[in-house]
Short mmCIF file of all heavy atoms in Angstrom, two decimals:
data_model
loop_
_atom_site.label_atom_id
_atom_site.label_comp_id
_atom_site.label_asym_id
_atom_site.label_seq_id
_atom_site.Cartn_x
_atom_site.Cartn_y
_atom_site.Cartn_z
N ALA A 1 38.48 17.11 14.66
CA ALA A 1 39.58 17.25 13.69
C ALA A 1 39.72 15.95 12.92
O ALA A 1 39.37 14.86 13.40
CB ALA A 1 40.87 17.58 14.41
N PRO A 2 40.21 16.01 11.65
CA PRO A 2 40.39 14.78 10.86
C PRO A 2 41.31 13.79 11.55
O PRO A 2 42.34 14.15 12.15
CB PRO A 2 41.03 15.30 9.57
CG PRO A 2 40.62 16.76 9.50
CD PRO A 2 40.57 17.21 10.91
N ALA A 3 40.90 12.51 11.56
CA ALA A 3 41.66 11.47 12.23
C ALA A 3 41.90 10.29 11.31
O ALA A 3 41.95 9.15 11.74
CB ALA A 3 40.95 11.00 13.51
N GLY A 4 42.00 10.56 10.02
CA GLY A 4 42.25 9.45 9.09
C GLY A 4 40.99 8.95 8.46
O GLY A 4 39.95 9.65 8.40
N ALA A 5 41.02 7.71 7.99
CA ALA A 5 39.87 7.14 7.29
C ALA A 5 39.94 5.62 7.43
O ALA A 5 40.96 5.05 7.86
CB ALA A 5 39.88 7.56 5.83
N VAL A 6 38.85 4.98 7.05
CA VAL A 6 38.80 3.51 7.01
C VAL A 6 38.13 3.12 5.70
O VAL A 6 37.20 3.76 5.21
CB VAL A 6 38.00 2.97 8.26
CG1 VAL A 6 36.56 3.46 8.20
CG2 VAL A 6 38.06 1.45 8.28
N LEU A 7 38.67 2.03 5.13
CA LEU A 7 38.15 1.48 3.87
C LEU A 7 37.78 0.02 4.10
O LEU A 7 38.58 -0.74 4.59
CB LEU A 7 39.20 1.59 2.76
CG LEU A 7 38.80 1.02 1.40
CD1 LEU A 7 37.64 1.83 0.81
CD2 LEU A 7 40.01 1.06 0.42
N ILE A 8 36.54 -0.30 3.80
CA ILE A 8 36.02 -1.66 3.94
C ILE A 8 35.89 -2.29 2.56
O ILE A 8 35.29 -1.68 1.66
CB ILE A 8 34.68 -1.67 4.66
CG1 ILE A 8 34.76 -0.90 5.99
CG2 ILE A 8 34.22 -3.10 4.91
CD1 ILE A 8 35.71 -1.48 6.98
N ALA A 9 36.45 -3.48 2.39
CA ALA A 9 36.34 -4.23 1.12
C ALA A 9 35.63 -5.52 1.40
O ALA A 9 35.98 -6.28 2.31
CB ALA A 9 37.73 -4.46 0.53
N ARG A 10 34.62 -5.81 0.57
CA ARG A 10 33.83 -7.04 0.76
C ARG A 10 33.69 -7.79 -0.57
O ARG A 10 33.40 -7.17 -1.58
CB ARG A 10 32.46 -6.68 1.32
CG ARG A 10 31.59 -7.84 1.80
CD ARG A 10 30.42 -7.35 2.62
NE ARG A 10 29.56 -6.44 1.86
CZ ARG A 10 28.51 -6.84 1.15
NH1 ARG A 10 28.17 -8.15 1.12
NH2 ARG A 10 27.77 -5.98 0.50
N ASP A 11 33.86 -9.09 -0.51
CA ASP A 11 33.72 -9.91 -1.69
C ASP A 11 32.23 -10.21 -1.91
O ASP A 11 31.60 -10.90 -1.10
CB ASP A 11 34.50 -11.22 -1.51
CG ASP A 11 34.55 -12.06 -2.79
OD1 ASP A 11 33.75 -11.77 -3.71
OD2 ASP A 11 35.39 -12.97 -2.86
N VAL A 12 31.67 -9.67 -2.99
CA VAL A 12 30.25 -9.82 -3.29
C VAL A 12 30.06 -10.66 -4.56
O VAL A 12 29.01 -10.54 -5.21
CB VAL A 12 29.55 -8.46 -3.41
CG1 VAL A 12 29.55 -7.76 -2.07
CG2 VAL A 12 30.24 -7.60 -4.48
N THR A 13 31.04 -11.46 -4.92
CA THR A 13 30.94 -12.23 -6.16
C THR A 13 29.75 -13.20 -6.09
O THR A 13 29.01 -13.32 -7.05
CB THR A 13 32.26 -13.03 -6.37
OG1 THR A 13 33.36 -12.12 -6.33
CG2 THR A 13 32.24 -13.72 -7.73
N VAL A 14 29.62 -13.90 -4.98
CA VAL A 14 28.51 -14.85 -4.83
C VAL A 14 27.18 -14.16 -4.95
O VAL A 14 26.25 -14.65 -5.61
CB VAL A 14 28.62 -15.59 -3.50
CG1 VAL A 14 27.44 -16.53 -3.28
CG2 VAL A 14 29.92 -16.41 -3.44
N GLU A 15 27.03 -12.98 -4.33
CA GLU A 15 25.77 -12.24 -4.41
C GLU A 15 25.46 -11.84 -5.83
O GLU A 15 24.33 -11.97 -6.32
CB GLU A 15 25.86 -11.01 -3.52
CG GLU A 15 26.04 -11.34 -2.03
CD GLU A 15 26.22 -10.07 -1.20
OE1 GLU A 15 25.79 -9.01 -1.67
OE2 GLU A 15 26.80 -10.17 -0.11
N HIS A 16 26.47 -11.35 -6.55
CA HIS A 16 26.25 -10.92 -7.94
C HIS A 16 25.93 -12.11 -8.82
O HIS A 16 25.06 -12.01 -9.69
CB HIS A 16 27.50 -10.16 -8.45
CG HIS A 16 27.52 -8.72 -8.09
ND1 HIS A 16 27.11 -7.74 -8.95
CD2 HIS A 16 27.87 -8.10 -6.96
CE1 HIS A 16 27.23 -6.56 -8.36
NE2 HIS A 16 27.67 -6.76 -7.13
N ASP A 17 26.61 -13.22 -8.60
CA ASP A 17 26.35 -14.41 -9.42
C ASP A 17 24.91 -14.92 -9.13
O ASP A 17 24.20 -15.35 -10.06
CB ASP A 17 27.35 -15.48 -9.10
CG ASP A 17 28.74 -15.15 -9.67
OD1 ASP A 17 28.82 -14.21 -10.50
OD2 ASP A 17 29.75 -15.78 -9.26
N ALA A 18 24.52 -14.88 -7.85
CA ALA A 18 23.16 -15.32 -7.51
C ALA A 18 22.11 -14.38 -8.14
O ALA A 18 21.09 -14.87 -8.64
CB ALA A 18 23.00 -15.40 -6.02
N GLN A 19 22.38 -13.08 -8.11
CA GLN A 19 21.46 -12.12 -8.72
C GLN A 19 21.34 -12.37 -10.21
O GLN A 19 20.26 -12.35 -10.78
CB GLN A 19 21.94 -10.70 -8.43
CG GLN A 19 21.07 -9.62 -9.07
CD GLN A 19 19.75 -9.46 -8.35
OE1 GLN A 19 19.67 -9.69 -7.16
NE2 GLN A 19 18.70 -9.10 -9.10
N GLN A 20 22.49 -12.61 -10.84
CA GLN A 20 22.47 -12.87 -12.27
C GLN A 20 21.71 -14.16 -12.58
O GLN A 20 20.91 -14.22 -13.55
CB GLN A 20 23.89 -13.00 -12.81
CG GLN A 20 23.98 -13.30 -14.29
CD GLN A 20 25.40 -13.51 -14.78
OE1 GLN A 20 26.34 -13.39 -13.98
NE2 GLN A 20 25.53 -13.76 -16.05
N ALA A 21 21.95 -15.20 -11.77
CA ALA A 21 21.23 -16.47 -12.03
C ALA A 21 19.72 -16.29 -11.88
O ALA A 21 18.95 -16.80 -12.67
CB ALA A 21 21.76 -17.54 -11.07
N ARG A 22 19.31 -15.54 -10.84
CA ARG A 22 17.88 -15.29 -10.63
C ARG A 22 17.29 -14.50 -11.83
O ARG A 22 16.21 -14.83 -12.35
CB ARG A 22 17.63 -14.56 -9.33
CG ARG A 22 16.16 -14.47 -8.98
CD ARG A 22 15.92 -13.54 -7.81
NE ARG A 22 16.11 -12.13 -8.21
CZ ARG A 22 15.84 -11.12 -7.38
NH1 ARG A 22 15.45 -11.35 -6.15
NH2 ARG A 22 16.02 -9.89 -7.80
N ASP A 23 18.02 -13.44 -12.21
CA ASP A 23 17.51 -12.65 -13.33
C ASP A 23 17.43 -13.46 -14.61
O ASP A 23 16.46 -13.33 -15.40
CB ASP A 23 18.42 -11.43 -13.53
CG ASP A 23 18.32 -10.41 -12.40
OD1 ASP A 23 17.35 -10.54 -11.62
OD2 ASP A 23 19.18 -9.55 -12.28
N ASP A 24 18.45 -14.27 -14.85
CA ASP A 24 18.43 -15.09 -16.06
C ASP A 24 17.26 -16.08 -16.04
O ASP A 24 16.61 -16.32 -17.07
CB ASP A 24 19.75 -15.85 -16.21
CG ASP A 24 20.94 -14.94 -16.51
OD1 ASP A 24 20.67 -13.77 -16.90
OD2 ASP A 24 22.08 -15.36 -16.31
N LEU A 25 17.00 -16.66 -14.86
CA LEU A 25 15.91 -17.62 -14.76
C LEU A 25 14.56 -16.93 -14.96
O LEU A 25 13.71 -17.41 -15.74
CB LEU A 25 15.91 -18.29 -13.39
CG LEU A 25 14.76 -19.25 -13.07
CD1 LEU A 25 14.77 -20.41 -14.05
CD2 LEU A 25 14.83 -19.74 -11.62
N VAL A 26 14.36 -15.78 -14.32
CA VAL A 26 13.11 -15.06 -14.48
C VAL A 26 12.92 -14.60 -15.92
O VAL A 26 11.83 -14.70 -16.50
CB VAL A 26 13.04 -13.88 -13.51
CG1 VAL A 26 11.82 -13.01 -13.79
CG2 VAL A 26 13.05 -14.36 -12.07
N ALA A 27 14.01 -14.11 -16.52
CA ALA A 27 13.92 -13.64 -17.91
C ALA A 27 13.61 -14.80 -18.83
O ALA A 27 12.78 -14.65 -19.78
CB ALA A 27 15.21 -12.97 -18.32
N SER A 28 14.21 -15.94 -18.59
CA SER A 28 13.95 -17.12 -19.44
C SER A 28 12.50 -17.55 -19.34
O SER A 28 11.83 -17.79 -20.37
CB SER A 28 14.88 -18.26 -19.04
OG SER A 28 14.61 -19.41 -19.79
N ILE A 29 12.01 -17.64 -18.08
CA ILE A 29 10.61 -18.03 -17.92
C ILE A 29 9.67 -17.01 -18.55
O ILE A 29 8.67 -17.35 -19.19
CB ILE A 29 10.30 -18.21 -16.44
CG1 ILE A 29 11.13 -19.40 -15.87
CG2 ILE A 29 8.83 -18.44 -16.19
CD1 ILE A 29 10.98 -19.56 -14.37
N SER A 30 9.99 -15.72 -18.36
CA SER A 30 9.11 -14.67 -18.89
C SER A 30 9.06 -14.75 -20.42
O SER A 30 8.02 -14.62 -21.03
CB SER A 30 9.61 -13.28 -18.45
OG SER A 30 9.61 -13.21 -17.04
N HIS A 31 10.25 -14.98 -21.05
CA HIS A 31 10.25 -15.11 -22.51
C HIS A 31 9.43 -16.30 -22.97
O HIS A 31 8.69 -16.21 -23.96
CB HIS A 31 11.68 -15.24 -22.99
CG HIS A 31 12.41 -13.94 -23.15
ND1 HIS A 31 12.01 -12.99 -24.06
CD2 HIS A 31 13.48 -13.42 -22.48
CE1 HIS A 31 12.82 -11.95 -23.95
NE2 HIS A 31 13.73 -12.19 -23.03
N GLU A 32 9.53 -17.39 -22.22
CA GLU A 32 8.78 -18.58 -22.61
C GLU A 32 7.29 -18.35 -22.44
O GLU A 32 6.48 -18.95 -23.21
CB GLU A 32 9.22 -19.76 -21.75
CG GLU A 32 10.66 -20.19 -22.01
CD GLU A 32 10.91 -20.67 -23.41
OE1 GLU A 32 9.95 -21.24 -24.02
OE2 GLU A 32 11.99 -20.45 -23.94
N LEU A 33 6.87 -17.53 -21.49
CA LEU A 33 5.45 -17.27 -21.31
C LEU A 33 4.87 -16.27 -22.30
O LEU A 33 3.70 -16.34 -22.65
CB LEU A 33 5.20 -16.76 -19.88
CG LEU A 33 5.39 -17.78 -18.73
CD1 LEU A 33 5.27 -17.06 -17.40
CD2 LEU A 33 4.34 -18.90 -18.83
N ARG A 34 5.69 -15.32 -22.73
CA ARG A 34 5.18 -14.26 -23.61
C ARG A 34 4.71 -14.83 -24.93
O ARG A 34 3.68 -14.39 -25.47
CB ARG A 34 6.25 -13.21 -23.86
CG ARG A 34 6.52 -12.30 -22.67
CD ARG A 34 7.47 -11.24 -23.05
NE ARG A 34 6.87 -10.22 -23.90
CZ ARG A 34 7.51 -9.13 -24.35
NH1 ARG A 34 8.79 -8.95 -24.03
NH2 ARG A 34 6.89 -8.24 -25.08
N THR A 35 5.44 -15.81 -25.48
CA THR A 35 5.08 -16.32 -26.79
C THR A 35 3.71 -16.97 -26.80
O THR A 35 2.86 -16.62 -27.64
CB THR A 35 6.16 -17.33 -27.29
OG1 THR A 35 7.42 -16.63 -27.37
CG2 THR A 35 5.80 -17.87 -28.67
N PRO A 36 3.43 -17.96 -25.91
CA PRO A 36 2.06 -18.53 -25.93
C PRO A 36 1.00 -17.54 -25.55
O PRO A 36 -0.12 -17.60 -26.06
CB PRO A 36 2.17 -19.67 -24.94
CG PRO A 36 3.30 -19.37 -24.05
CD PRO A 36 4.27 -18.64 -24.92
N LEU A 37 1.30 -16.58 -24.65
CA LEU A 37 0.27 -15.61 -24.28
C LEU A 37 -0.09 -14.71 -25.46
O LEU A 37 -1.25 -14.34 -25.68
CB LEU A 37 0.78 -14.75 -23.10
CG LEU A 37 0.66 -15.39 -21.71
CD1 LEU A 37 1.34 -14.50 -20.69
CD2 LEU A 37 -0.80 -15.58 -21.33
N THR A 38 0.95 -14.32 -26.22
CA THR A 38 0.68 -13.50 -27.41
C THR A 38 -0.18 -14.24 -28.38
O THR A 38 -1.12 -13.70 -28.99
CB THR A 38 2.01 -13.10 -28.05
OG1 THR A 38 2.81 -12.41 -27.10
CG2 THR A 38 1.76 -12.18 -29.26
N SER A 39 0.11 -15.57 -28.53
CA SER A 39 -0.72 -16.39 -29.44
C SER A 39 -2.15 -16.49 -28.92
O SER A 39 -3.11 -16.39 -29.70
CB SER A 39 -0.09 -17.77 -29.58
OG SER A 39 -0.88 -18.60 -30.40
N ILE A 40 -2.32 -16.70 -27.64
CA ILE A 40 -3.68 -16.80 -27.05
C ILE A 40 -4.44 -15.54 -27.27
O ILE A 40 -5.66 -15.55 -27.66
CB ILE A 40 -3.56 -17.16 -25.55
CG1 ILE A 40 -3.02 -18.57 -25.36
CG2 ILE A 40 -4.90 -17.00 -24.88
CD1 ILE A 40 -2.70 -18.92 -23.92
N LEU A 41 -3.79 -14.39 -27.06
CA LEU A 41 -4.47 -13.11 -27.24
C LEU A 41 -4.87 -12.92 -28.69
O LEU A 41 -5.95 -12.38 -29.00
CB LEU A 41 -3.55 -11.98 -26.79
CG LEU A 41 -3.40 -11.76 -25.27
CD1 LEU A 41 -2.28 -10.78 -24.97
CD2 LEU A 41 -4.73 -11.23 -24.71
N GLY A 42 -4.01 -13.37 -29.57
CA GLY A 42 -4.34 -13.22 -30.99
C GLY A 42 -5.57 -14.01 -31.38
O GLY A 42 -6.47 -13.51 -32.05
N TYR A 43 -5.65 -15.28 -30.91
CA TYR A 43 -6.80 -16.11 -31.26
C TYR A 43 -8.07 -15.60 -30.57
O TYR A 43 -9.16 -15.66 -31.14
CB TYR A 43 -6.52 -17.58 -30.90
CG TYR A 43 -5.67 -18.26 -31.92
CD1 TYR A 43 -4.32 -18.55 -31.68
CD2 TYR A 43 -6.21 -18.67 -33.17
CE1 TYR A 43 -3.54 -19.19 -32.63
CE2 TYR A 43 -5.43 -19.31 -34.11
CZ TYR A 43 -4.09 -19.57 -33.85
OH TYR A 43 -3.32 -20.21 -34.78
N LEU A 44 -7.92 -15.14 -29.34
CA LEU A 44 -9.09 -14.59 -28.64
C LEU A 44 -9.60 -13.32 -29.34
O LEU A 44 -10.81 -13.12 -29.46
CB LEU A 44 -8.75 -14.27 -27.19
CG LEU A 44 -8.51 -15.47 -26.26
CD1 LEU A 44 -8.04 -14.99 -24.90
CD2 LEU A 44 -9.80 -16.31 -26.12
N ASP A 45 -8.70 -12.54 -29.85
CA ASP A 45 -9.09 -11.32 -30.55
C ASP A 45 -9.82 -11.69 -31.85
O ASP A 45 -10.83 -11.07 -32.22
CB ASP A 45 -7.85 -10.49 -30.86
CG ASP A 45 -8.22 -9.14 -31.43
OD1 ASP A 45 -9.09 -8.44 -30.84
OD2 ASP A 45 -7.63 -8.75 -32.47
N LEU A 46 -9.31 -12.72 -32.55
CA LEU A 46 -9.97 -13.20 -33.76
C LEU A 46 -11.37 -13.72 -33.45
O LEU A 46 -12.34 -13.48 -34.21
CB LEU A 46 -9.15 -14.27 -34.47
CG LEU A 46 -7.83 -13.81 -35.11
CD1 LEU A 46 -7.04 -14.99 -35.65
CD2 LEU A 46 -8.13 -12.80 -36.24
N ALA A 47 -11.49 -14.42 -32.34
CA ALA A 47 -12.79 -14.95 -31.95
C ALA A 47 -13.78 -13.85 -31.62
O ALA A 47 -14.98 -13.96 -31.99
CB ALA A 47 -12.63 -15.89 -30.72
#
């Protein structure tokens, strides 16, 4: 028979901030790598 319920609340601010920081870092590095790689591919294609 029903005997009530339980609600668990957890502070995940640090986890979300860490995830955002990691994503921002990876995205920044990836953007920085795409530009020179695109240029390299262009020159190799011309060659």
Side-chain angles (χ1 to χ4, degrees):
V6 62
L7 179 64
I8 307 297
R10 190 166 60 92
D11 188 344
V12 293
T13 307
V14 176
E15 298 175 22
H16 276 262
D17 290 345
Q19 178 72 31
Q20 178 184 359
R22 189 189 72 174
D23 291 345
D24 291 344
L25 176 62
V26 173
S28 176
I29 295 175
S30 300
H31 277 296
E32 294 299 327
L33 289 174
R34 286 186 73 180
T35 301
L37 280 173
T38 303
S39 178
I40 292 172
L41 284 170
Y43 280 105
L44 290 174
D45 188 49
L46 289 175

